[in-house]
Amino acid sequence: LVASLFQRVLQARGHQVWLAADGRQALEMLRAREYDLVISDVKMPGMNGTDLHGELRRLQPILADHTIFITGDTVSRETRQFLEQAGVPHLTKPVDLDAMEQAVSQMLKRRKQVHG
């Protein structure tokens, strides 16, 4: 439900957005076509955001560097360590939609500058 809201907001602001139900489906989608960035929750059933990011690092390191994480868990040491090690932006739940758009715009701008 929340992902659908993010999708509608980002599409209304001119972005093309595809949704995956979980980390495994996202990985399948990422293998099938190119994407400019990934927005992922840290905690997901099945393959969580940590595992997804690890697979991205292995398969598509550029895309791994262009990932934005969403989390409601900034208290746990494990989550904090992961976000620090990943070195990519994260947004805290509840997510401010303007902050999300700003993070997406900055990430896309950075990707364009670095990778053309």
Side-chain angles (χ1 to χ4, degrees), residues 15-74:
H15 301 286
Q16 293 181 358
V17 181
W18 289 264
L19 293 181
D22 56 36
R24 293 194 194 288
Q25 183 184 21
L27 194 55
E28 289 174 23
M29 292 170 65
L30 292 164
R31 286 182 174 135
R33 70 179 304 269
E34 280 191 42
Y35 295 89
D36 293 324
L37 68 90
V38 172
I39 300 171
S40 175
D41 204 319
V42 172
K43 305 279 185 181
M44 297 183 287
M47 177 182 278
N48 63 26
T50 305
D51 294 337
L52 175 62
H53 196 253
E55 284 296 302
L56 279 176
R57 280 260 173 250
R58 191 173 66 77
L59 299 169
Q60 297 184 40
I62 292 172
L63 192 55
D65 289 337
H66 294 89
T67 301
I68 299 169
F69 282 101
I70 297 171
T71 186
D73 176 19
T74 55

